PDB file of all heavy atoms in Angstrom:
ATOM      1  N   VAL U 817     -85.327  38.395  -4.645  1.00 71.00           N
ATOM      2  CA  VAL U 817     -84.692  37.874  -5.854  1.00 71.00           C
ATOM      3  C   VAL U 817     -84.499  36.361  -5.760  1.00 71.00           C
ATOM      4  O   VAL U 817     -84.751  35.619  -6.716  1.00 71.00           O
ATOM      5  CB  VAL U 817     -83.345  38.585  -6.097  1.00 71.00           C
ATOM      6  CG1 VAL U 817     -82.573  37.902  -7.215  1.00 71.00           C
ATOM      7  CG2 VAL U 817     -83.578  40.042  -6.441  1.00 71.00           C
ATOM      8  N   SER U 818     -84.076  35.880  -4.597  1.00 72.00           N
ATOM      9  CA  SER U 818     -83.829  34.446  -4.441  1.00 72.00           C
ATOM     10  C   SER U 818     -85.111  33.623  -4.532  1.00 72.00           C
ATOM     11  O   SER U 818     -85.064  32.430  -4.841  1.00 72.00           O
ATOM     12  CB  SER U 818     -83.129  34.185  -3.110  1.00 72.00           C
ATOM     13  OG  SER U 818     -83.957  34.587  -2.034  1.00 72.00           O
ATOM     14  N   ILE U 819     -86.271  34.219  -4.248  1.00 81.00           N
ATOM     15  CA  ILE U 819     -87.534  33.487  -4.345  1.00 81.00           C
ATOM     16  C   ILE U 819     -88.161  33.616  -5.726  1.00 81.00           C
ATOM     17  O   ILE U 819     -88.604  32.628  -6.330  1.00 81.00           O
ATOM     18  CB  ILE U 819     -88.519  33.987  -3.259  1.00 81.00           C
ATOM     19  CG1 ILE U 819     -87.971  33.656  -1.862  1.00 81.00           C
ATOM     20  CG2 ILE U 819     -89.900  33.369  -3.456  1.00 81.00           C
ATOM     21  CD1 ILE U 819     -88.808  34.230  -0.730  1.00 81.00           C
ATOM     22  N   VAL U 820     -88.212  34.826  -6.236  1.00 80.00           N
ATOM     23  CA  VAL U 820     -88.915  35.084  -7.498  1.00 80.00           C
ATOM     24  C   VAL U 820     -88.146  34.530  -8.688  1.00 80.00           C
ATOM     25  O   VAL U 820     -88.748  33.949  -9.612  1.00 80.00           O
ATOM     26  CB  VAL U 820     -89.176  36.590  -7.662  1.00 80.00           C
ATOM     27  CG1 VAL U 820     -89.763  36.894  -9.042  1.00 80.00           C
ATOM     28  CG2 VAL U 820     -90.100  37.085  -6.563  1.00 80.00           C
ATOM     29  N   LEU U 821     -86.863  34.681  -8.684  1.00 82.00           N
ATOM     30  CA  LEU U 821     -86.078  34.279  -9.843  1.00 82.00           C
ATOM     31  C   LEU U 821     -86.214  32.791 -10.157  1.00 82.00           C
ATOM     32  O   LEU U 821     -86.453  32.418 -11.310  1.00 82.00           O
ATOM     33  CB  LEU U 821     -84.611  34.665  -9.629  1.00 82.00           C
ATOM     34  CG  LEU U 821     -83.675  34.441 -10.811  1.00 82.00           C
ATOM     35  CD1 LEU U 821     -84.170  35.241 -12.016  1.00 82.00           C
ATOM     36  CD2 LEU U 821     -82.254  34.841 -10.456  1.00 82.00           C
ATOM     37  N   PRO U 822     -86.119  31.851  -9.192  1.00 86.00           N
ATOM     38  CA  PRO U 822     -86.314  30.429  -9.540  1.00 86.00           C
ATOM     39  C   PRO U 822     -87.710  30.142 -10.087  1.00 86.00           C
ATOM     40  O   PRO U 822     -87.871  29.291 -10.973  1.00 86.00           O
ATOM     41  CB  PRO U 822     -86.064  29.718  -8.204  1.00 86.00           C
ATOM     42  CG  PRO U 822     -85.212  30.637  -7.422  1.00 86.00           C
ATOM     43  CD  PRO U 822     -85.674  32.004  -7.793  1.00 86.00           C
ATOM     44  N   ILE U 823     -88.742  30.816  -9.533  1.00 88.00           N
ATOM     45  CA  ILE U 823     -90.102  30.589 -10.031  1.00 88.00           C
ATOM     46  C   ILE U 823     -90.230  31.000 -11.486  1.00 88.00           C
ATOM     47  O   ILE U 823     -90.782  30.283 -12.328  1.00 88.00           O
ATOM     48  CB  ILE U 823     -91.117  31.340  -9.148  1.00 88.00           C
ATOM     49  CG1 ILE U 823     -91.116  30.768  -7.723  1.00 88.00           C
ATOM     50  CG2 ILE U 823     -92.516  31.262  -9.751  1.00 88.00           C
ATOM     51  CD1 ILE U 823     -91.993  31.529  -6.761  1.00 88.00           C
ATOM     52  N   VAL U 824     -89.700  32.182 -11.814  1.00 88.00           N
ATOM     53  CA  VAL U 824     -89.769  32.667 -13.195  1.00 88.00           C
ATOM     54  C   VAL U 824     -89.025  31.731 -14.133  1.00 88.00           C
ATOM     55  O   VAL U 824     -89.505  31.396 -15.226  1.00 88.00           O
ATOM     56  CB  VAL U 824     -89.212  34.102 -13.277  1.00 88.00           C
ATOM     57  CG1 VAL U 824     -89.117  34.562 -14.730  1.00 88.00           C
ATOM     58  CG2 VAL U 824     -90.097  35.059 -12.489  1.00 88.00           C
ATOM     59  N   LEU U 825     -87.874  31.275 -13.710  1.00 87.00           N
ATOM     60  CA  LEU U 825     -87.102  30.362 -14.556  1.00 87.00           C
ATOM     61  C   LEU U 825     -87.833  29.037 -14.754  1.00 87.00           C
ATOM     62  O   LEU U 825     -87.837  28.469 -15.860  1.00 87.00           O
ATOM     63  CB  LEU U 825     -85.730  30.118 -13.926  1.00 87.00           C
ATOM     64  CG  LEU U 825     -84.745  31.298 -13.960  1.00 87.00           C
ATOM     65  CD1 LEU U 825     -83.469  30.936 -13.223  1.00 87.00           C
ATOM     66  CD2 LEU U 825     -84.430  31.696 -15.388  1.00 87.00           C
ATOM     67  N   SER U 826     -88.481  28.525 -13.711  1.00 86.00           N
ATOM     68  CA  SER U 826     -89.211  27.261 -13.833  1.00 86.00           C
ATOM     69  C   SER U 826     -90.376  27.384 -14.810  1.00 86.00           C
ATOM     70  O   SER U 826     -90.606  26.497 -15.647  1.00 86.00           O
ATOM     71  CB  SER U 826     -89.728  26.825 -12.458  1.00 86.00           C
ATOM     72  OG  SER U 826     -88.658  26.637 -11.553  1.00 86.00           O
ATOM     73  N   VAL U 827     -91.135  28.503 -14.719  1.00 85.00           N
ATOM     74  CA  VAL U 827     -92.251  28.712 -15.639  1.00 85.00           C
ATOM     75  C   VAL U 827     -91.763  28.805 -17.079  1.00 85.00           C
ATOM     76  O   VAL U 827     -92.359  28.226 -17.997  1.00 85.00           O
ATOM     77  CB  VAL U 827     -93.035  29.974 -15.230  1.00 85.00           C
ATOM     78  CG1 VAL U 827     -94.079  30.325 -16.291  1.00 85.00           C
ATOM     79  CG2 VAL U 827     -93.706  29.769 -13.883  1.00 85.00           C
ATOM     80  N   CYS U 828     -90.689  29.499 -17.286  1.00 89.00           N
ATOM     81  CA  CYS U 828     -90.142  29.635 -18.643  1.00 89.00           C
ATOM     82  C   CYS U 828     -89.712  28.284 -19.202  1.00 89.00           C
ATOM     83  O   CYS U 828     -89.958  27.980 -20.380  1.00 89.00           O
ATOM     84  CB  CYS U 828     -88.965  30.622 -18.625  1.00 89.00           C
ATOM     85  SG  CYS U 828     -89.439  32.329 -18.293  1.00 89.00           S
ATOM     86  N   ILE U 829     -89.076  27.464 -18.380  1.00 89.00           N
ATOM     87  CA  ILE U 829     -88.638  26.142 -18.846  1.00 89.00           C
ATOM     88  C   ILE U 829     -89.849  25.261 -19.183  1.00 89.00           C
ATOM     89  O   ILE U 829     -89.867  24.551 -20.190  1.00 89.00           O
ATOM     90  CB  ILE U 829     -87.751  25.481 -17.782  1.00 89.00           C
ATOM     91  CG1 ILE U 829     -86.433  26.262 -17.637  1.00 89.00           C
ATOM     92  CG2 ILE U 829     -87.459  24.029 -18.145  1.00 89.00           C
ATOM     93  CD1 ILE U 829     -85.577  25.799 -16.487  1.00 89.00           C
ATOM     94  N   PHE U 830     -90.914  25.311 -18.342  1.00 82.00           N
ATOM     95  CA  PHE U 830     -92.117  24.505 -18.589  1.00 82.00           C
ATOM     96  C   PHE U 830     -92.782  24.915 -19.898  1.00 82.00           C
ATOM     97  O   PHE U 830     -93.154  24.064 -20.723  1.00 82.00           O
ATOM     98  CB  PHE U 830     -93.078  24.664 -17.416  1.00 82.00           C
ATOM     99  CG  PHE U 830     -94.405  23.985 -17.643  1.00 82.00           C
ATOM    100  CD1 PHE U 830     -94.537  22.605 -17.498  1.00 82.00           C
ATOM    101  CD2 PHE U 830     -95.523  24.717 -18.023  1.00 82.00           C
ATOM    102  CE1 PHE U 830     -95.759  21.982 -17.724  1.00 82.00           C
ATOM    103  CE2 PHE U 830     -96.735  24.106 -18.248  1.00 82.00           C
ATOM    104  CZ  PHE U 830     -96.860  22.735 -18.098  1.00 82.00           C
ATOM    105  N   LEU U 831     -92.953  26.211 -20.131  1.00 84.00           N
ATOM    106  CA  LEU U 831     -93.564  26.685 -21.370  1.00 84.00           C
ATOM    107  C   LEU U 831     -92.714  26.311 -22.586  1.00 84.00           C
ATOM    108  O   LEU U 831     -93.252  25.976 -23.646  1.00 84.00           O
ATOM    109  CB  LEU U 831     -93.762  28.197 -21.298  1.00 84.00           C
ATOM    110  CG  LEU U 831     -94.811  28.690 -20.290  1.00 84.00           C
ATOM    111  CD1 LEU U 831     -94.839  30.205 -20.258  1.00 84.00           C
ATOM    112  CD2 LEU U 831     -96.199  28.130 -20.616  1.00 84.00           C
ATOM    113  N   SER U 832     -91.438  26.354 -22.437  1.00 84.00           N
ATOM    114  CA  SER U 832     -90.561  25.989 -23.560  1.00 84.00           C
ATOM    115  C   SER U 832     -90.732  24.517 -23.920  1.00 84.00           C
ATOM    116  O   SER U 832     -90.827  24.158 -25.107  1.00 84.00           O
ATOM    117  CB  SER U 832     -89.104  26.290 -23.197  1.00 84.00           C
ATOM    118  OG  SER U 832     -88.938  27.666 -22.937  1.00 84.00           O
ATOM    119  N   CYS U 833     -90.792  23.660 -22.914  1.00 85.00           N
ATOM    120  CA  CYS U 833     -90.966  22.228 -23.187  1.00 85.00           C
ATOM    121  C   CYS U 833     -92.327  21.950 -23.822  1.00 85.00           C
ATOM    122  O   CYS U 833     -92.449  21.134 -24.754  1.00 85.00           O
ATOM    123  CB  CYS U 833     -90.817  21.426 -21.889  1.00 85.00           C
ATOM    124  SG  CYS U 833     -89.155  21.495 -21.179  1.00 85.00           S
ATOM    125  N   TYR U 834     -93.386  22.611 -23.317  1.00 80.00           N
ATOM    126  CA  TYR U 834     -94.724  22.408 -23.869  1.00 80.00           C
ATOM    127  C   TYR U 834     -94.791  22.814 -25.334  1.00 80.00           C
ATOM    128  O   TYR U 834     -95.309  22.073 -26.188  1.00 80.00           O
ATOM    129  CB  TYR U 834     -95.732  23.197 -23.046  1.00 80.00           C
ATOM    130  CG  TYR U 834     -97.135  23.187 -23.629  1.00 80.00           C
ATOM    131  CD1 TYR U 834     -97.971  22.069 -23.497  1.00 80.00           C
ATOM    132  CD2 TYR U 834     -97.612  24.298 -24.332  1.00 80.00           C
ATOM    133  CE1 TYR U 834     -99.243  22.064 -24.043  1.00 80.00           C
ATOM    134  CE2 TYR U 834     -98.877  24.307 -24.875  1.00 80.00           C
ATOM    135  CZ  TYR U 834     -99.693  23.193 -24.740  1.00 80.00           C
ATOM    136  OH  TYR U 834    -100.947  23.185 -25.282  1.00 80.00           O
ATOM    137  N   CYS U 835     -94.278  23.984 -25.648  1.00 83.00           N
ATOM    138  CA  CYS U 835     -94.289  24.464 -27.037  1.00 83.00           C
ATOM    139  C   CYS U 835     -93.451  23.571 -27.938  1.00 83.00           C
ATOM    140  O   CYS U 835     -93.815  23.312 -29.097  1.00 83.00           O
ATOM    141  CB  CYS U 835     -93.786  25.901 -27.091  1.00 83.00           C
ATOM    142  SG  CYS U 835     -94.868  27.097 -26.284  1.00 83.00           S
ATOM    143  N   PHE U 836     -92.374  23.065 -27.428  1.00 75.00           N
ATOM    144  CA  PHE U 836     -91.518  22.209 -28.252  1.00 75.00           C
ATOM    145  C   PHE U 836     -92.229  20.898 -28.597  1.00 75.00           C
ATOM    146  O   PHE U 836     -92.170  20.429 -29.734  1.00 75.00           O
ATOM    147  CB  PHE U 836     -90.206  21.944 -27.519  1.00 75.00           C
ATOM    148  CG  PHE U 836     -89.256  21.108 -28.300  1.00 75.00           C
ATOM    149  CD1 PHE U 836     -88.466  21.670 -29.294  1.00 75.00           C
ATOM    150  CD2 PHE U 836     -89.150  19.737 -28.055  1.00 75.00           C
ATOM    151  CE1 PHE U 836     -87.588  20.896 -30.017  1.00 75.00           C
ATOM    152  CE2 PHE U 836     -88.280  18.962 -28.781  1.00 75.00           C
ATOM    153  CZ  PHE U 836     -87.492  19.542 -29.775  1.00 75.00           C
ATOM    154  N   ARG U 837     -92.896  20.306 -27.603  1.00 77.00           N
ATOM    155  CA  ARG U 837     -93.586  19.044 -27.863  1.00 77.00           C
ATOM    156  C   ARG U 837     -94.763  19.248 -28.822  1.00 77.00           C
ATOM    157  O   ARG U 837     -95.036  18.412 -29.678  1.00 77.00           O
ATOM    158  CB  ARG U 837     -94.070  18.433 -26.544  1.00 77.00           C
ATOM    159  CG  ARG U 837     -92.937  17.880 -25.685  1.00 77.00           C
ATOM    160  CD  ARG U 837     -93.489  17.324 -24.382  1.00 77.00           C
ATOM    161  NE  ARG U 837     -94.440  16.230 -24.628  1.00 77.00           N
ATOM    162  CZ  ARG U 837     -94.106  14.962 -24.789  1.00 77.00           C
ATOM    163  NH1 ARG U 837     -92.822  14.608 -24.747  1.00 77.00           N
ATOM    164  NH2 ARG U 837     -95.028  14.033 -24.984  1.00 77.00           N
ATOM    165  N   ARG U 838     -95.483  20.351 -28.667  1.00 75.00           N
ATOM    166  CA  ARG U 838     -96.659  20.574 -29.496  1.00 75.00           C
ATOM    167  C   ARG U 838     -96.290  20.855 -30.936  1.00 75.00           C
ATOM    168  O   ARG U 838     -96.967  20.399 -31.868  1.00 75.00           O
ATOM    169  CB  ARG U 838     -97.472  21.729 -28.920  1.00 75.00           C
ATOM    170  CG  ARG U 838     -98.766  21.997 -29.685  1.00 75.00           C
ATOM    171  CD  ARG U 838     -99.630  22.986 -28.972  1.00 75.00           C
ATOM    172  NE  ARG U 838    -100.881  23.216 -29.692  1.00 75.00           N
ATOM    173  CZ  ARG U 838    -101.859  24.009 -29.263  1.00 75.00           C
ATOM    174  NH1 ARG U 838    -101.706  24.645 -28.099  1.00 75.00           N
ATOM    175  NH2 ARG U 838    -102.949  24.168 -29.977  1.00 75.00           N
ATOM    176  N   TYR U 839     -95.259  21.585 -31.136  1.00 75.00           N
ATOM    177  CA  TYR U 839     -94.887  21.986 -32.498  1.00 75.00           C
ATOM    178  C   TYR U 839     -93.585  21.319 -32.929  1.00 75.00           C
ATOM    179  O   TYR U 839     -92.813  21.875 -33.694  1.00 75.00           O
ATOM    180  CB  TYR U 839     -94.733  23.512 -32.573  1.00 75.00           C
ATOM    181  CG  TYR U 839     -95.993  24.261 -32.219  1.00 75.00           C
ATOM    182  CD1 TYR U 839     -96.132  24.852 -30.967  1.00 75.00           C
ATOM    183  CD2 TYR U 839     -97.036  24.368 -33.139  1.00 75.00           C
ATOM    184  CE1 TYR U 839     -97.291  25.541 -30.631  1.00 75.00           C
ATOM    185  CE2 TYR U 839     -98.199  25.053 -32.806  1.00 75.00           C
ATOM    186  CZ  TYR U 839     -98.321  25.638 -31.554  1.00 75.00           C
ATOM    187  OH  TYR U 839     -99.466  26.323 -31.233  1.00 75.00           O
ATOM    188  N   SER U 840     -93.358  20.112 -32.426  1.00 73.00           N
ATOM    189  CA  SER U 840     -92.111  19.432 -32.767  1.00 73.00           C
ATOM    190  C   SER U 840     -92.052  19.072 -34.246  1.00 73.00           C
ATOM    191  O   SER U 840     -90.979  19.068 -34.857  1.00 73.00           O
ATOM    192  CB  SER U 840     -91.959  18.167 -31.916  1.00 73.00           C
ATOM    193  OG  SER U 840     -93.065  17.280 -32.144  1.00 73.00           O
ATOM    194  N   SER U 841     -93.239  18.750 -34.858  1.00 71.00           N
ATOM    195  CA  SER U 841     -93.238  18.409 -36.292  1.00 71.00           C
ATOM    196  C   SER U 841     -92.845  19.594 -37.153  1.00 71.00           C
ATOM    197  O   SER U 841     -92.312  19.433 -38.254  1.00 71.00           O
ATOM    198  CB  SER U 841     -94.621  17.892 -36.700  1.00 71.00           C
ATOM    199  OG  SER U 841     -95.604  18.895 -36.469  1.00 71.00           O
ATOM    200  N   ILE U 842     -93.112  20.804 -36.665  1.00 75.00           N
ATOM    201  CA  ILE U 842     -92.734  22.019 -37.416  1.00 75.00           C
ATOM    202  C   ILE U 842     -91.308  22.422 -37.094  1.00 75.00           C
ATOM    203  O   ILE U 842     -90.518  22.781 -37.968  1.00 75.00           O
ATOM    204  CB  ILE U 842     -93.712  23.171 -37.091  1.00 75.00           C
ATOM    205  CG1 ILE U 842     -95.137  22.780 -37.508  1.00 75.00           C
ATOM    206  CG2 ILE U 842     -93.281  24.453 -37.794  1.00 75.00           C
ATOM    207  CD1 ILE U 842     -96.182  23.804 -37.101  1.00 75.00           C
ATOM    208  N   ILE U 843     -91.022  22.350 -35.815  1.00 73.00           N
ATOM    209  CA  ILE U 843     -89.676  22.778 -35.403  1.00 73.00           C
ATOM    210  C   ILE U 843     -88.633  21.788 -35.888  1.00 73.00           C
ATOM    211  O   ILE U 843     -87.579  22.182 -36.413  1.00 73.00           O
ATOM    212  CB  ILE U 843     -89.626  22.912 -33.870  1.00 73.00           C
ATOM    213  CG1 ILE U 843     -90.616  23.986 -33.408  1.00 73.00           C
ATOM    214  CG2 ILE U 843     -88.215  23.270 -33.418  1.00 73.00           C
ATOM    215  CD1 ILE U 843     -90.741  24.078 -31.902  1.00 73.00           C
TER     216      ILE U 843
END
């Protein structure tokens, strides 16, 4: 849990930032 959980959280944060920048004009 201590290894997998930070990795999953990091990937989720990266995807969120990417989607926000790409669709910022819509969002």
Side-chain angles (χ1 to χ4, degrees):
V817 171
S818 62
I819 295 174
V820 173
L821 186 59
I823 295 175
V824 173
L825 289 176
S826 300
V827 172
C828 292
I829 293 172
F830 174 78
L831 292 176
S832 299
C833 294
Y834 173 77
C835 293
F836 181 81
R837 288 179 61 86
R838 183 171 181 177
Y839 300 102
S840 59
S841 60
I842 299 174
I843 298 174

